[in-house]
Every structure is written in C-alpha cells, then in structure tokens.
Amino acid sequence: MGEVKPAKVENYSTGTDANTIFVDGERVLCFHGPLIYEAKVLKTKPDATPVEYYIHYAGWSKNWDEWVPESRVLKYNDDNVKRRQELARQCGERSKKDNKKGSAKAKKMEQMRNESRASTPSKDSNTSQSTASSIPTSSAGPGSKSDAGSTGITTPNSTGTTTTSRAHRKSTQSTASTARPGSDVAEKALVSTTTPSTPTTDPAPCVESEEAYASKVEVKIKIPDELKHYLTDDWYAVVREHKLLELPAKVTVQQISEQYLAHKKSVKSTSASKEVAINDVLDGIVEYFNVMLGSQLLYKFERTQYADVMQKHPDTPLSELYGSFHLLRLFVRLGSMLSYSALDQQSMQNLLAHLQDFLKFLVKNSAIFFSMSNFINVDPEYVRNAQ
C-alpha cells in the first residue's frame, strides 16, 4: 500500500449515540471496493447524513484509515464472514480466469508477430514503427477501485511531430474517440510537453523483452487523501446502488481544465513559458481521457449509458460530456500509462509536478466538482439491460 497521510478528523463523537449502529472499538467488516475487509470503528459522526464511521482496516497501515458511510459497514458475524470469504473467492477466480485469457491472447499475438516477421523481407524490417507491450494486471487492498486492467502504451511515432493546441484538439477528437488505449494519440499530447521535438531514427521493437519490461520505472501519481473517498463513493453508487452520473456533466472535464488554466493565469508567479507548459499538460490530460474512457474508465453498469451517449453525441469529445468523477478515475490509471513513455527522469518529475498541482486544484474545489447529487437513479429496464 502506498504511503499516504490519513484524512483530517473533526466533529466526531464517542460512538455511543443512540442513532448509530456501531460503537467505538467495535470489530466490524467493511466494504472497500469490491471486497470486504476486517476493520475496527475508531470514531463516529452521528450527525452526518448518512452517519459516518472512521475505520481502521485490520492488518493495514493506519494511513488507510478513512471515514466511510454506514452503508459500507457490516456487523462482524458468521453470515457476513462467509459473505466476505465468498467475495474473495469469486474475485480470485475472476483474476485467474483473466490471467489465463491474457496469457492465451499474448501467445496468439506472439505467434501472429512471428508469422508476420517470417513473411516480411529482411530489408524492410527497419521500417516498422509498431510497438506492442503487455502489462500484468495487479490487485490491491483498500484503495483499489477500478475493474479494468492496466494497458501498455506505445512510443511516439518517429516519423513526425505533434500539434497539441486547444484549437487542434477538436479536429483530433474523431481519431482519439476510436483509437485503442495504447495508441500514440494521447501519449503524443502529454509526452510532447516535456520531450524534444527532434524525432528519433531508431525503429521501435515489435516485442518488448522481459529485461526491458523489468527495467521500466514505475510512475506513481499520488491521489490526495481528500479525494480518495470520492473514488470509493463513486464505486459504491454505481456498482452497489446501481446509479449513474448525470450526463452531460454539470461541470465537464473540459470545463475543469479551462478553470484550472484560468486559475494558473491569475497567479503572478506563472510566467509565459510556464503557461505554455501548463496548457500542453492539460491538452495531454484531455486527450488521455478521450482515448481511455470507453475501455478503461467505465464500470460495466455504465456501458449501456456510454453507448447511448456515443449515439446521441457522435461528434462531441467525451471530455465535454463526462465530468470530475471519471476524471479522477483517469489519475488512478495514468501512472501505469506514463511508465511506458519516453520521458527522462527530469522531464518526468516536471510532468508529475504539474499533475500533482492539478490534483490540488481538484481538492480545493472538491465541494463544487464532487457532489453525490450528480448521481441519478435509473429505471428497472436499464438495470436489467446493463446486467
């Protein structure tokens, strides 16, 4: 588990209020993501709506202590313990099944590449610019919210340069909306903010070696403590309560990006060159969002809604339809994507500094951007079709 600071605690009671189901010090079970963990109640907010408990997960660092709504807490009894074990078993079976599928697919892809290389004249072998990589799916304890697997990212095409201005973004949307995550559309936008424009002449390898994969530096984007519970609330609302975020969002990803840029422009210490860098980073975030949303940032229950949105707004960038909760999901995935970029250490540090500053902006405006009132109930027919 990553090193994070515990959330600030205030306005809590001793947990003996008549309105609360659980008391301080009580051994409980608590949902975190799709699994149930053994936990302990530390403090209580009986006046909150709904009632909230400050939970410590048994066996985990206190850095993962967090406030959770009463609906996520279960009594510690035989029935709930069995429920916990059953969920863990089902999750383990799905993981094994996914790994087998991934392994079979990787072998098939490797066979296809070998056949392709065997039928290609050797004198043309240096003209190939395609890249393929496979990243194993990892699982985590409390803090792991998404149900999609990590995907590798290709290196920028070495035959040309990239334009990432806001005016250009609209024209590239049709390409971004249909490209697979892992294509160079999004990476060019973000990576070009910190890498030289001189194209490389070395051809990209067809298959990444095990040594090259092992040498990749893991890029970690720290989600601020103040935003983590929104990820959990988001998961619970969609997966458990079968709610959807209202679309188009009241505040879209595009609007958040523009508000952040306006905020940075108002700061006296923001120079012209820094403003250009910020603008390019925002372009990259938006392009990544447009490319990754459809296959990596949605829960299964949201896919029917996504199909309807694509049909009703075929020419509208997804960043102008979806909002803050989906944007926050992007930052959970973004680190693994950046691990496959061509940035040197200094460029990566500069980029991460920009991204962390953007997350701080989300924290500062969280009351505006992250409202649970943005989740709406759906009719029974949608629930049946989505399952």
Side-chain angles (χ1 to χ4, degrees), residues 117-377:
R117 287 197 292 271
S119 62
T120 304
S122 59
K123 66 179 181 179
D124 295 332
S125 62
N126 288 336
T127 62
S128 174
Q129 298 296 332
S130 63
T131 305
S133 58
S134 178
I135 305 178
T137 302
S138 61
S139 60
S144 178
K145 311 293 189 303
S146 182
D147 60 354
S150 300
T151 302
I153 187 165
T154 62
T155 55
N157 191 306
S158 62
T159 59
T161 57
T162 304
T163 302
T164 58
S165 66
R166 292 178 180 273
H168 179 70
R169 179 190 303 145
K170 189 82 172 182
S171 65
T172 62
Q173 170 59 24
S174 60
T175 303
S177 63
T178 57
R180 293 182 299 106
S183 68
D184 59 0
V185 175
E187 185 188 18
K188 285 181 180 179
L190 195 55
V191 170
S192 64
T193 66
T194 50
T195 53
S197 59
T198 304
T200 178
T201 57
D202 296 330
C206 288
V207 182
E208 184 177 49
S209 66
E210 184 177 351
E211 292 78 8
Y213 172 77
S215 66
K216 294 294 183 183
V217 178
E218 182 181 2
V219 177
K220 295 183 179 180
I221 298 178
K222 180 182 177 183
I223 306 298
D225 298 329
E226 297 88 342
L227 298 179
K228 286 183 178 179
H229 71 91
Y230 292 120
L231 288 168
T232 303
D233 294 344
D234 174 28
W235 174 89
Y236 194 87
V238 176
V239 178
R240 291 293 178 186
E241 298 183 331
H242 288 165
K243 294 182 178 181
L244 293 173
L245 281 156
E246 185 178 7
L247 297 178
K250 294 179 181 179
V251 183
T252 65
V253 170
Q254 182 64 45
Q255 291 171 334
I256 293 173
S257 172
E258 292 170 353
Q259 289 179 27
Y260 175 74
L261 182 61
H263 164 69
K264 298 304 291 185
K265 285 182 178 180
S266 67
V267 179
K268 294 182 180 180
S269 60
T270 303
S271 62
S273 59
K274 189 174 182 179
E275 183 178 321
V276 172
I278 293 171
N279 187 81
D280 287 341
V281 169
L282 292 174
D283 283 340
I285 291 173
V286 170
E287 291 296 350
Y288 261 108
F289 184 86
N290 288 331
V291 171
M292 292 175 63
L293 177 75
S295 62
Q296 294 202 54
L297 305 182
L298 296 176
Y299 293 109
K300 179 182 177 182
F301 189 72
E302 297 175 299
R303 296 196 179 280
T304 301
Q305 181 193 41
Y306 173 74
D308 293 340
V309 168
M310 293 294 287
Q311 185 175 7
K312 293 178 182 178
H313 307 277
D315 301 320
T316 304
L318 296 172
S319 57
E320 295 180 12
L321 297 171
Y322 286 80
S324 55
F325 284 94
H326 289 89
L327 177 62
L328 191 55
R329 296 182 201 175
L330 171 68
F331 280 89
V332 176
R333 292 283 179 195
L334 197 54
S336 61
M337 302 294 284
L338 293 178
S339 296
Y340 276 75
S341 69
L343 298 179
D344 57 38
Q345 184 176 2
Q346 184 58 52
S347 299
M348 182 63 72
Q349 289 177 352
N350 292 339
L351 175 58
L352 290 177
H354 283 298
L355 296 178
Q356 294 296 160
D357 189 71
F358 182 79
L359 287 170
K360 289 180 180 178
F361 175 77
L362 296 184
V363 171
K364 184 177 180 181
N365 296 275
S366 59
I368 300 174
F369 296 153
F370 299 97
S371 173
M372 297 306 291
S373 64
N374 293 334
F375 288 89
I376 58 175
N377 294 313

